[in-house]
């Protein structure tokens, strides 16, 4: 069976409104995901400047808030 995954991320960062040019930072890398043996999915995103990150899609009723590690990588694992 194939499952289609649609991933929507919401990023909130202090510099979200910085215009291109002087002082602008590059966009974060696209999110990565890994399907685990227990059929959960772990999402990761490197966004050290972000202040809040969540993942939403048809796999959850409410957005999943990601947790930021000391190196600026955000992570969350979906429910089974």
């Amino acid at each position: 069976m194939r499952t289609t995954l649609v991933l929507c991320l919401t990023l909130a960062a202090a510099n979200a409104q910085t215009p291109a040019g002087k002082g602008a930072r590059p966009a974060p890398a696209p999110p990565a995901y890994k399907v685990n043996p227990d059929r959960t999915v772990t999402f990761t995103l490197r966004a050290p400047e972000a202040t809040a990150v969540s993942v939403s899609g048809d796999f959850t009723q409410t957005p999943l808030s990601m947790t930021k590690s000391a190196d600026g990588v955000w992570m969350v694992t979906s429910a089974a």
Side-chain angles (χ1 to χ4, degrees):
M1 173 177 27
R2 284 190 124 165
T3 301
T4 302
L5 175 68
V6 177
L7 176 66
C8 301
L9 291 178
T10 302
L11 298 176
N15 66 340
Q17 299 300 319
T18 303
K22 186 175 182 178
R25 295 194 171 114
Y33 66 93
K34 175 187 171 195
V35 179
N36 303 308
D38 63 357
R39 299 182 62 97
T40 61
V41 180
T42 300
F43 298 94
T44 58
L45 175 72
R46 180 162 171 28
E49 300 296 323
T51 57
V53 181
S54 62
V55 179
S56 63
D58 62 356
F59 56 91
T60 182
Q61 295 283 329
T62 59
L64 303 174
S65 295
M66 298 178 84
T67 303
K68 185 178 182 181
S69 66
D71 62 354
V73 176
W74 294 79
M75 185 183 327
V76 69
T77 299
S78 69

